[in-house]
Amino acid sequence: MSGHGITDKNVSIFVERVTRAQEDERLRISRELHDTTIQSLIMVLHQLERYLSDNQELNIMHMRFIINIQDSIKTILQEVRHLSQNLRPSIIDHLGLLPAIEFLLQTLEISSSIKTILHIEGKSRPLNKDMELIVFRIIQEALSNVKRHSEANLVEVTIKFEEDIRFYIADNGKGIEDSATSMLDFMQQGKLGLAGMSERAKLLGGDMKIVSSADKGTTIEICIPEGPTPNLRTY
Ligand SMILES: Nc1ncnc2c1ncn2[C@@H]1O[C@H](COP(=O)(O)OP(=O)(O)OP(=O)(O)O)[C@@H](O)[C@H]1O
Ligand SMILES: [Mg+2]
């Protein structure tokens, strides 16, 4: 079957290309949301504000009606901003990886009943921005899996700064059901999340381990060595 089956090598190339295409597409959608949707919503908000200040004789019922619409638009605005942030986390560029991870954990807490804890061990140091974006994506996918599949009520993210940098995302959920299922099997079912995480870790010259059991939940461990990362091209 050689030359026809899925091999580790062509899986790597495939996942890397999908990952890159996904990143480009996310950037495009995020810009679009920022430049059009968010601006339009802000414009409507301003129009309503102006209408209110130009029509102070409105009765209280009509005023309340408009204020309720303003509140709804503000909520939508916040949701779209979050969406845009998740698509292209400019928070990484502005504040760095750790605040970006805090942002992911807060977003998870707000949108689910899962509690989150962040542990930082060792002396934190910044990575380059491309590396930080890749790490962010890995943690984002891990947390999305926790939310969608784990039935956990707690997820702990630990970052250990030693000679290398280790990231652990540990949930207390039900574990990955069929632990015999390999990443290739998942991929053949169209499930690309874990494979994408592992490929991203490899892009950083590192690797990813999954430890999962029904009674202890799932832990994803990513180890990134210090030093040059030969596989990394700019994202
Ligand atoms: N934290 C977790 N707890 C329990 N099960 C998990 C967890 N993470 C992954 N899984 C299981 O492993 C499978 C593969 O995960 P993967 O992220 O590759 O795919 P997916 O989440 O199903 O789809 P995609 O990520 O492509 O949208 C999931 O379908 C789920 O059954
Ligand atoms: Mg997934």
Side-chain angles (χ1 to χ4, degrees):
M1 283 298 282
S2 78
H4 295 288
I6 298 182
T7 63
D8 271 358
K9 174 92 182 121
N10 60 32
V11 165
S12 273
I13 294 170
F14 172 71
V15 176
E16 194 193 324
R17 288 205 185 130
V18 171
T19 302
R20 206 175 293 278
Q22 232 179 26
E23 210 59 62
D24 289 347
E25 187 65 358
R26 281 174 165 162
L27 182 60
R28 194 185 64 73
I29 299 172
S30 162
R31 287 214 178 111
E32 198 91 334
L33 282 174
H34 181 268
D35 296 346
T36 60
T37 315
I38 291 179
Q39 304 314 320
S40 310
L41 287 170
I42 290 174
M43 222 170 67
V44 177
L45 261 186
H46 285 159
Q47 279 168 348
L48 289 173
E49 248 161 50
R50 201 164 324 124
Y51 181 82
L52 274 183
S53 70
D54 289 351
N55 294 279
Q56 301 208 355
E57 74 287 356
L58 278 181
N59 73 35
I60 192 87
M61 233 177 65
H62 287 138
M63 250 186 197
R64 278 228 181 95
F65 179 72
I66 296 196
I67 290 170
N68 282 342
I69 295 179
Q70 282 181 315
D71 287 344
S72 306
I73 294 175
K74 282 179 192 158
T75 310
I76 298 171
L77 200 53
Q78 206 174 9
E79 285 165 1
V80 180
R81 278 202 175 113
H82 262 118
L83 185 61
S84 165
Q85 268 288 339
N86 265 312
L87 285 165
R88 169 66 219 194
S90 58
I91 192 170
I92 290 181
D93 299 324
H94 296 137
L95 300 175
L97 181 62
L98 297 184
I101 293 173
E102 276 166 13
F103 162 79
L104 282 180
L105 293 176
Q106 270 169 23
T107 308
L108 179 66
E109 284 205 351
I110 291 168
S111 65
S112 72
S113 52
I114 303 172
K115 285 254 138 280
T116 70
I117 303 178
L118 177 62
H119 307 277
I120 312 283
E121 296 178 13
K123 190 168 167 354
S124 77
R125 56 181 184 273
L127 307 174
N128 80 42
K129 292 295 168 209
D130 292 331
M131 291 175 80
E132 291 195 336
L133 179 58
I134 293 176
V135 170
F136 179 89
R137 290 298 183 212
I138 296 175
I139 296 178
Q140 188 176 35
E141 171 59 27
L143 293 174
S144 144
N145 277 347
V146 172
K147 182 174 169 185
R148 285 168 54 206
H149 308 298
S150 74
E151 294 170 20
N153 59 18
L154 177 70
V155 59
E156 294 187 59
V157 173
T158 305
I159 306 175
K160 286 189 187 167
F161 290 92
E162 293 165 355
E163 252 172 51
D164 47 25
I165 305 178
R166 282 163 201 270
F167 297 86
Y168 300 82
I169 301 103
D171 70 57
N172 66 350
K174 65 179 185 179
I176 297 180
E177 254 149 33
D178 188 358
S179 55
T181 312
S182 75
M183 220 112 79
L184 279 184
D185 295 329
F186 280 137
M187 286 184 71
Q188 273 161 344
Q189 299 161 24
K191 300 173 177 174
L192 291 178
L194 290 173
M197 288 156 64
S198 163
E199 269 332 295
R200 285 182 158 104
K202 282 191 207 148
L203 279 177
L204 299 175
D207 59 20
M208 180 182 104
K209 276 191 218 128
I210 305 171
V211 181
S212 188
S213 68
D215 53 338
K216 293 207 184 91
T218 303
T219 298
I220 305 285
E221 177 183 343
I222 302 127
C223 174
I224 296 167
E226 208 192 19
T229 50
N231 300 329
L232 184 65
R233 279 184 269 147
T234 314
Y235 263 75

